[in-house]
Amino acid sequence: MSKSMNEITLYKEIIENKTNHDFLRKTIQKPVIDEDKLFILLKLIPKDTASAQTNRDVYIITTMLVQVALDTHELVMDNDDNETDDEKLVKQLYVLAGDYYSGLYYYLLSEIDDLTFIHKLASAIKAINERKMKLYYGEYETFSEYTSLKVEVESLLIETVANYFQHIDFINCVKQWQYIKLLSKEKERIVNDEILLNSMMDSKKTNPYMTAEDKFSSIIQREWTSFNNKLMKLPHSTTDLQSYFNQKMVDHVYRNTLNAEEG
């Protein structure tokens, strides 16, 4: 496991160096690199998959640059008539920063001359932005439709890479992990809205006398058990994957407990 963490640290440093820009560093926050997605990419593109280590590096780094660009654009919030000129300027800088990170990935991919991969990523970006627009305009009627759109936004890029490198078995795991993360983020809002909570539940499988908090915990536990079962069926790197995601769940439980105690 420590070997994987060392590799994550190494690639994070490379990506941070590539996204480092003096002007952007002084004016907007440092881009966030999603460690989970980086870890998954490292498993999807093992060293013996690409024709050379250099190519492997480019595939991983360019995909993460796309993710950074998408996440940076996400930081541009809704228009506010009362916002100051400085606030408007910061929003414009986030847009430009996202475009800058996108440009870096095109430049790096051009070095390995893989037009197919470029087209695949471009199609994924288009699909992700289409789903973001549906979320922005509220084009969903149920909580299930909402979570489905959110999960697709977070998983389509990795799903594209998984398909490209013929690791189709990995896709359902990626989607379910994103779903678990989404449930964790939405927990407080859902627990306080019994209608949304009940829409997620199968009443035949849960005790009607359970509290909303317990019901929600049972959903996450059920998804986590299913996720672990999927990991065990993967043909490669199972132990490493289980170790990584189990630690992620431990960290999540610890943070929730700590937040509850502080609250």
Side-chain angles (χ1 to χ4, degrees), residues 4-260:
S4 292
M5 295 309 298
N6 289 338
E7 199 170 20
I8 289 174
T9 300
L10 173 63
Y11 276 93
K12 280 186 69 176
E13 289 177 355
I14 294 173
I15 295 165
E16 286 171 353
N17 288 334
K18 288 190 176 297
T19 57
N20 186 29
H21 188 288
D22 289 341
F23 178 71
L24 293 177
R25 188 176 67 248
K26 293 175 183 177
T27 53
I28 62 175
Q29 71 182 55
K30 183 179 177 181
V32 177
I33 298 171
D34 191 317
E35 286 191 5
D36 292 350
K37 290 176 183 175
L38 176 55
F39 174 77
I40 291 170
L41 283 174
L42 291 170
K43 297 304 171 185
L44 286 176
I45 315 175
K47 293 181 180 180
D48 59 349
T49 299
S51 58
Q53 177 66 31
T54 301
N55 282 17
R56 180 185 188 242
D57 291 349
V58 172
Y59 286 123
I60 292 171
I61 293 167
T62 52
T63 303
M64 286 307 300
L65 284 174
V66 172
Q67 187 63 60
V68 168
L70 290 167
D71 292 344
T72 301
H73 282 150
E74 194 74 13
L75 296 174
V76 182
M77 295 175 287
D78 298 342
N79 289 328
D80 183 354
D81 293 335
N82 297 319
E83 65 187 4
T84 65
D85 290 340
D86 286 343
E87 289 171 334
K88 291 178 180 179
L89 176 60
V90 170
K91 285 185 178 181
Q92 292 170 354
L93 288 173
Y94 275 120
V95 173
L96 291 174
D99 293 343
Y100 172 68
Y101 303 145
S102 295
L104 286 175
Y105 108 79
Y106 278 115
Y107 171 74
L108 289 173
L109 279 180
S110 68
E111 294 184 333
I112 60 171
D113 193 30
D114 192 336
L115 293 178
T116 301
F117 192 69
I118 293 175
H119 288 313
K120 294 289 185 183
L121 287 188
S123 296
I125 294 169
K126 179 176 180 291
I128 290 169
N129 286 329
E130 287 172 350
R131 284 154 180 76
K132 282 186 175 182
M133 293 304 293
K134 287 186 177 181
L135 287 166
Y136 181 82
Y137 288 109
E139 295 180 11
Y140 50 86
E141 295 181 359
T142 65
F143 184 77
S144 178
E145 290 177 1
Y146 166 75
T147 55
S148 179
L149 285 170
K150 292 284 285 186
V151 168
E152 286 181 358
V153 165
E154 292 299 329
S155 61
L156 271 172
L157 191 64
I158 303 300
E159 180 179 339
T160 298
V161 178
N163 274 313
Y164 186 81
F165 285 100
Q166 299 181 349
H167 289 309
I168 300 174
D169 52 306
F170 217 106
I171 293 173
N172 286 336
C173 286
V174 171
K175 288 183 175 179
Q176 191 152 23
W177 175 247
Q178 293 302 330
Y179 182 53
I180 292 170
K181 289 178 69 174
L182 175 61
L183 292 183
S184 300
K185 290 179 181 179
E186 295 283 317
K187 182 174 182 178
E188 183 177 350
R189 184 170 76 88
I190 298 170
V191 165
N192 292 324
D193 191 327
E194 198 69 24
I195 295 176
L196 284 178
L197 181 66
N198 290 336
S199 73
M200 299 173 60
M201 303 296 293
D202 182 344
S203 58
K204 297 179 180 179
K205 296 181 180 180
T206 58
N207 187 334
Y209 299 103
M210 291 171 65
T211 64
E213 186 81 16
D214 288 340
K215 286 181 180 179
F216 194 89
S217 296
S218 74
I219 297 171
I220 294 180
Q221 183 58 51
R222 189 171 64 203
E223 293 297 324
W224 174 247
T225 300
S226 174
F227 174 71
N228 259 317
N229 289 336
K230 286 185 175 69
L231 284 184
M232 293 173 64
K233 294 177 182 178
L234 291 177
H236 56 282
S237 306
T238 302
T239 303
D240 206 19
L241 288 166
Q242 285 185 305
S243 177
Y244 177 86
F245 287 112
N246 270 289
Q247 185 58 53
K248 283 289 182 176
M249 282 299 291
V250 169
D251 291 344
H252 166 70
V253 171
Y254 173 75
R255 283 197 303 272
N256 279 358
T257 302
L258 184 62
N259 290 339

